[in-house]
Amino acid sequence: MDTHGMDVAPSDTASWPDALFDLLKAHHVRQVAFVPDAGHSRLIRRCQADPAIKAISLTTEEEGIGLLLGAWLGGERGVLLMQSSGVGNCINMLSLSILHRTPMPMLVTMRGDFGEFNPAQVPMGNATQAVLEAMGTLVRRADHADDIVPTADATLRLAFNTFRPTAALIGQRVLGAKTFGKE
């Protein structure tokens, strides 16, 4: 099995992280909350470099729910970037978005679903979509690079037009399965 490039963030030739950044700008996103993640690394760096965007590093993913709720109440649009393993941390907090009719767009990089080496990632990776949907989140999934931007665009539009939580899942098939040197 060729594992070249499997332990790294999207390659420098992948255009979708930059297209996602452009999409966030087009949707007037002013706050980006994230827990550091290799799958989102280039997007995070682009957000950090833009003085018009507040890029906020979180200790844990559920902090992002409260932060983005506050951003919306303060008149700013935001998005939460996280890995699928962090979705479980957000479940109780997602009720706030439903109760207060607040947009809560999430861009979620998947683990545990395609060629995963770490057995601890598989349960949440397998349950991510179902858990989010059970909490009232509208979920769309992109398993091919060409689908990421249209899926994220639909997710942002749904969030900001319907005032509810939405999630775009970026499949591990696109990102590559991490191996950390294991074959």
Side-chain angles (χ1 to χ4, degrees):
M1 179 170 112
D2 178 17
T3 58
H4 177 71
M6 300 285 272
D7 291 338
V8 296
S11 75
D12 289 338
T13 60
S15 62
W16 62 265
D18 295 323
L20 279 180
F21 176 78
D22 294 341
L23 184 65
L24 295 181
K25 297 289 285 185
H27 281 275
H28 309 288
V29 170
R30 301 272 314 190
Q31 294 195 30
V32 175
F34 63 91
V35 171
D37 168 40
H40 284 306
S41 60
R42 192 154 89 222
L43 177 57
I44 290 168
R45 284 193 306 274
R46 293 283 315 267
C47 292
Q48 289 172 323
D50 188 322
I53 294 178
K54 295 176 193 116
I56 302 112
S57 181
L58 307 169
T59 313
T60 182
E61 294 82 0
E62 67 266 29
E63 292 174 348
I65 304 290
L67 183 110
L68 294 182
L69 181 93
W72 180 256
L73 292 174
E76 292 189 347
R77 290 179 171 195
V79 67
L80 177 57
L81 307 178
M82 69 177 139
Q83 196 177 82
S84 58
S85 55
V87 168
N89 296 335
C90 296
I91 299 310
N92 285 333
M93 292 293 284
L94 280 172
S95 66
L96 291 175
S97 181
I98 299 284
L99 291 171
H100 298 288
R101 293 190 38 81
T102 306
M104 192 61 57
M106 297 170 272
L107 302 179
V108 181
T109 56
M110 294 301 294
R111 289 286 309 269
D113 80 338
F114 189 82
E116 181 65 55
F117 88 96
N118 183 349
Q121 293 286 351
V122 174
M124 193 64 225
N126 189 51
T128 298
Q129 184 164 349
V131 167
L132 286 168
E133 288 173 340
M135 290 305 297
T137 301
L138 301 173
V139 180
R140 302 296 176 263
R141 186 177 173 104
D143 283 311
H144 303 283
D146 291 343
D147 294 334
I148 294 173
V149 173
T151 301
D153 186 39
T155 298
L156 292 167
R157 288 177 190 278
L158 277 169
F160 297 130
N161 291 335
T162 67
F163 307 102
R164 58 185 302 158
T166 62
L169 307 183
I170 302 171
Q172 200 166 1
R173 183 176 290 229
V174 176
L175 300 166
K178 292 180 175 130
T179 64
F180 297 108
K182 301 190 185 284
E183 295 291 328

